[in-house]
Amino acid sequence: MRSPVLPLLLSFFLLQVLVSATHWEDYKYGRQDLEPLNKTSYCTWKCLLFTLQWPGGFCQSLNNKTECRIPQSISNWTIHGLWPVRAKHCCSCWPMFHSDVQELEAELNEQWPSFVKTKSSFHFWRDEWKKHGVCAGCVEGMNSPHRYFQICLKLRRRFNIYKILEDGGVVPSCKRLYKVEEVHSILTPHLGEKHEIQCVTDSKEREVWFQVKVPLAQNLTLGCHGDTEKDHGTGAGGASPEWIPSPGHPCPPQLPFYYFPINYKQPQQPCD
């Protein structure tokens, strides 16, 4: 006689598989069931920083001269990250898999590559998701890895910094120097007046432009409402401990800086 226990065990096992599959699909397409909790307890941040980096300057921020590589296909500003400011209680249990961004991978490789030889682009994306994306996930439009990176790519298309600068007469050069006030005035109509221009100091003690931080509200509009001085510093030339740490610093208003061209053969010594 057939035991009734086996069909029961099989049914229980199939139920668990179904629940598990549903759980991971929820993670992939957004955790709608956690939305009220996230908004009241976890979505405490008001502003995001959309951060773009210039390959010709980013490599100056790395200590090891052999670390940097710039793919031949890269000739524009690229994404560094989209960072909620002063976010708290971010969930560290929200995993990211390659399948989450597979549909976006071609564009991500173009707009969000890793310039560090020891880190693949996927590992760069995964690190950004674990550090910042999970904090942004309390907003419905970014409540999955796929949606978060999709939003980042849309923002990159929205802010074509290279063309904006080129139209304003600011182009990469090994000889020409620029001032914060000059660049700030060109970018402000497109990025808002609270954007920050960041530099690094290279081995020859030169100020080199490598990054721009663009403050956005939760709905991705430019700027942030509320106490922006406390949350975001004082604009292009200012500094604030509340900003996301980076290898660089605000470009000093009193010192001119270089906007180095990209050098694929010598990425960390583009003008030497």
Side-chain angles (χ1 to χ4, degrees):
M1 185 175 178
R2 188 178 180 183
S3 171
V5 176
L6 287 176
L8 287 174
L9 288 174
L10 180 60
S11 298
F12 178 77
F13 174 75
L14 291 174
L15 179 62
Q16 292 301 308
V17 170
L18 180 61
V19 170
S20 177
T22 303
H23 174 75
W24 289 114
E25 287 299 298
D26 281 346
Y27 268 118
K28 184 176 181 180
Y29 296 106
R31 296 303 306 272
Q32 301 296 337
D33 57 317
L34 297 181
E35 187 177 342
L37 176 63
N38 284 335
K39 284 190 173 181
T40 57
S41 301
Y42 292 97
C43 213
T44 56
W45 52 270
K46 295 180 181 179
C47 303
L48 296 151
L49 290 177
F50 182 57
T51 306
L52 293 165
Q53 58 191 11
W54 174 243
F58 171 80
C59 291
Q60 314 306 307
S61 70
L62 301 178
N63 294 324
N64 189 334
K65 291 185 178 181
T66 63
E67 277 188 5
C68 204
R69 53 116 191 255
I70 304 175
Q72 291 282 339
S73 61
I74 304 301
S75 60
N76 210 324
W77 287 73
T78 62
I79 301 169
H80 187 171
L82 181 63
W83 310 330
V85 178
R86 301 173 70 189
K88 300 177 181 178
H89 311 299
C90 301
C91 177
S92 60
C93 59
W94 199 333
M96 173 182 164
F97 304 99
H98 185 263
S99 58
D100 292 323
V101 293
Q102 202 161 9
E103 296 172 11
L104 308 172
E105 189 169 15
E107 191 174 2
L108 283 171
N109 279 324
E110 188 68 23
Q111 305 296 350
W112 199 334
S114 170
F115 297 132
V116 180
K117 287 183 179 179
T118 55
K119 177 180 285 191
S120 71
S121 290
F122 175 74
H123 282 90
F124 182 21
W125 308 332
R126 189 175 63 181
D127 286 349
E128 287 296 306
W129 168 255
K130 289 169 67 176
K131 292 177 184 178
H132 309 291
V134 293
C135 302
C138 59
V139 175
E140 185 174 350
M142 293 183 278
N143 62 347
S144 74
H146 182 89
R147 290 178 177 179
Y148 172 76
F149 288 100
Q150 196 172 43
I151 287 292
C152 291
L153 290 172
K154 287 181 179 179
L155 289 171
R156 171 60 190 82
R157 292 192 292 270
R158 176 181 167 187
F159 301 119
N160 189 351
I161 292 182
Y162 188 91
K163 187 176 187 309
I164 294 169
L165 292 167
E166 188 178 44
D167 291 346
V170 175
V171 294
S173 171
C174 288
K175 297 181 179 180
R176 184 176 172 183
L177 287 161
Y178 297 98
K179 293 184 178 180
V180 168
E181 184 179 358
E182 175 187 6
V183 175
H184 183 54
S185 64
I186 294 170
L187 293 178
T188 292
H190 307 275
L191 308 183
E193 62 179 17
K194 289 291 184 179
H195 71 271
E196 183 178 281
I197 301 169
Q198 286 207 318
C199 286
V200 291
T201 306
D202 72 359
S203 59
K204 294 187 177 182
E205 299 299 314
R206 296 172 294 193
E207 292 294 328
V208 179
W209 188 16
F210 91 112
Q211 197 161 255
V212 172
K213 292 179 176 180
V214 185
L216 301 170
Q218 277 192 18
N219 62 0
L220 303 181
T221 56
L222 281 174
C224 297
H225 299 290
D227 191 354
T228 54
E229 291 297 314
K230 179 180 178 181
D231 288 348
H232 305 291
T234 55
S240 168
E242 302 297 348
W243 284 70
I244 301 294
S246 73
H249 51 264
C251 296
Q254 71 278 12
L255 294 177
F257 59 84
Y258 285 94
Y259 177 24
F260 281 162
I262 296 173
N263 186 323
Y264 300 104
K265 292 183 178 180
Q266 297 183 111
Q268 287 180 280
Q269 297 175 311
C271 296
D272 298 330

